[in-house]
Amino acid sequence: MGTRATPGQRDDRRGWLRGSPPPRWVRLLPPLLLVGVCVGEIASSEPLDIGFLLGAIPSLAVLSYGPLATALFGVIVVVLLNIPALQLNHPGNADLLTISFIAVLSVFVALVRSRRDAHLVTVRSVAEAAQLAVLPPLPDRVGRVRCTGLYRPAQQETLVGGDFFDVRDGPFGVRALMGDVQGHGLSAVGTVASLLGAFRETVLDQRDLEAAAARLDRRLVVDSSSVDHAELFATALLLEFPPGAATVRMVSCGAPAPLLLRGTRVLELDTEPGSPVGLGFFELSPPKVRTVELEPGDRLFMASDGVSESRDTGGAFYPLPDRLAAFAEEPSDALIDRVWEDLVRFCPSIRDDVSILVLSPRLGTGEEDRGDRGEGADG
């Protein structure tokens, strides 16, 4: 299980014209055109006057080959133009000097492109390492809780957006955090890093869940204090599975309510949402803690507003509880895949970050397999 797609397993949706490596057919174009021109000229009983097509070969090689390979194609083209038997350099049909100039220019362009590509690979590797340090892949199990998550940032070139989640084990039990900061994309990564750092500290030294939420609020208030009109805030949902108890404690800071999967039923767990963290209202109106009794096999399903607020072409919101009921008997990893596929069909244009987190607590001895319906093979 663990995190699906991202972070750590990015679903790369970029086309080859937007930075991905070119497809194989692009690499095959130069040799195929080279062979095609030669075979066509040799097989024809009369000159075809198609030698000018050879001038495109070095230019095509630039798209997917390095400077040495591009130079080799250029040399082959010039040699073929000078073979009388092929009759590829008829006067007025193929200018040898022009094609030679194109070949030399193509080598120069290939050299520049290869060096720039190498630089971009280095920059991308550093950026991915930094982003994965902020939001590492979710482990399959944290303490007595099995975890499955899906993360799809709205900005396709990144691994981390405005959504975030984490699950940690500490002296006060297993705690989970899911949230959504203002904005998305790279501009939100710094805020995500601050909140996750504060959350990981509270797991170790903050006994009360309310105090842990207040720590997140204070973290953002401090971060935005030196910036005029920062408007830095985030919604957050904190969960705690106390050791030895068949309960879950929840604190909502403006986040969507979690859903409880109990057999084939989907129950929305009402929470008293407090103000989002970062606004500094916790002293005036602290969030309320709700405790829910759990039964063997229960799972908690949490999704960001990128799921619940997605709309179809008619403007209707995605009916998450209704759709989730149809997939409730699926194992957690298959469950989030089904929800994602259904969401994409419902709303083809998703412009917000999407995150889903499914937590399956083991309530006691012998409940490990039953605690996550149908997932015994994944352990």
Side-chain angles (χ1 to χ4, degrees):
M1 291 185 290
T3 309
R4 305 179 68 80
T6 53
Q9 300 176 3
R10 180 179 55 187
D11 180 35
D12 198 343
R13 292 166 282 176
R14 295 175 294 132
W16 69 278
L17 293 177
R18 299 181 59 191
S20 291
R24 181 171 297 180
W25 63 267
V26 176
R27 295 182 60 86
L28 292 177
L29 283 179
L32 288 179
L33 182 58
L34 185 67
V35 173
V37 169
C38 295
V39 171
E41 193 68 47
I42 294 174
S44 177
S45 58
E46 298 180 359
L48 296 179
D49 296 339
I50 57 175
F52 70 93
L53 294 176
L54 296 178
I57 292 177
S59 301
L60 291 174
V62 171
L63 296 175
S64 53
Y65 290 92
L68 292 179
T70 302
L72 178 61
F73 278 114
V75 170
I76 294 175
V77 166
V78 172
V79 170
L80 292 177
L81 289 173
N82 284 281
I83 297 178
L86 295 177
Q87 299 181 349
L88 293 173
N89 192 35
H90 292 299
N93 293 333
D95 191 328
L96 180 60
L97 292 178
T98 300
I99 293 181
S100 299
F101 174 77
I102 292 175
V104 173
L105 183 62
S106 298
V107 172
F108 174 75
V109 173
L111 178 63
V112 173
R113 183 191 61 80
S114 62
R115 291 187 175 182
R116 179 167 295 181
D117 286 351
H119 175 69
L120 289 176
V121 168
T122 301
V123 171
R124 187 181 298 276
S125 299
V126 172
E128 290 182 356
Q131 290 173 321
L132 287 173
V134 172
L135 196 63
L138 191 67
D140 292 346
R141 184 190 298 275
V142 177
R144 63 189 182 96
V145 179
R146 286 188 175 185
C147 313
T148 308
L150 177 140
Y151 196 104
R152 300 290 174 112
Q155 190 170 333
Q156 296 181 5
E157 305 297 324
T158 65
L159 295 177
V160 181
D163 287 359
F164 57 93
F165 55 70
D166 198 6
V167 184
R168 297 277 166 160
D169 194 6
F172 313 113
V174 176
R175 286 183 180 172
L177 170 69
M178 171 173 273
D180 182 6
V181 306
Q182 178 195 25
H184 54 259
L186 293 177
S187 62
V189 173
T191 308
V192 169
S194 293
L195 287 173
L196 288 176
F199 167 71
R200 290 159 187 167
E201 291 177 359
T202 66
V203 170
L204 300 175
D205 58 24
Q206 207 72 55
R207 178 178 296 275
D208 297 327
L209 203 59
E210 306 95 316
R215 176 82 68 87
L216 301 183
D217 177 69
R218 186 167 63 250
R219 176 71 270 164
L220 289 194
V221 170
V222 171
D223 288 349
S224 61
S225 60
S226 59
V227 182
D228 293 334
H229 309 294
E231 297 182 355
L232 187 63
F233 65 91
T235 60
L237 177 67
L238 288 91
L239 283 76
E240 179 183 80
F241 300 90
T247 61
V248 59
R249 303 176 72 239
M250 302 178 296
V251 168
S252 175
C253 304
L259 300 173
L260 177 64
L261 277 66
R262 179 167 289 170
T264 58
R265 293 184 296 162
V266 177
L267 308 174
E268 186 171 350
L269 301 179
D270 295 329
T271 57
E272 260 188 71
S275 64
V277 298
L279 299 180
F281 294 153
F282 268 54
E283 293 184 2
L284 300 175
S285 178
K288 305 296 183 182
V289 178
R290 182 185 177 188
T291 301
V292 176
E293 297 289 334
L294 298 177
E295 298 179 2
D298 283 353
R299 290 180 290 173
L300 290 163
F301 183 98
M302 292 160 286
S304 64
D305 56 11
V307 177
S308 58
E309 295 183 3
S310 293
R311 299 171 181 258
D312 62 9
T313 54
F317 288 109
Y318 180 70
L320 177 59
D322 295 338
R323 299 300 182 96
L324 192 60
F327 311 137
E329 293 186 340
E330 298 280 356
S332 294
D333 52 354
L335 174 68
I336 61 173
D337 286 339
R338 294 287 299 274
V339 172
W340 170 252
E341 293 167 0
D342 188 57
L343 180 65
V344 171
R345 285 193 297 268
F346 182 88
C347 178
S349 179
I350 300 175
R351 299 181 181 180
D352 197 2
D353 301 317
V354 170
S355 58
I356 298 174
L357 181 62
V358 180
L359 302 179
S360 309
R362 177 166 56 93
L363 302 183
T365 305
E367 300 294 345
E368 179 176 353
D369 292 334
R370 286 183 289 164
D372 195 16
R373 181 182 297 270
E375 295 185 53
D378 295 336

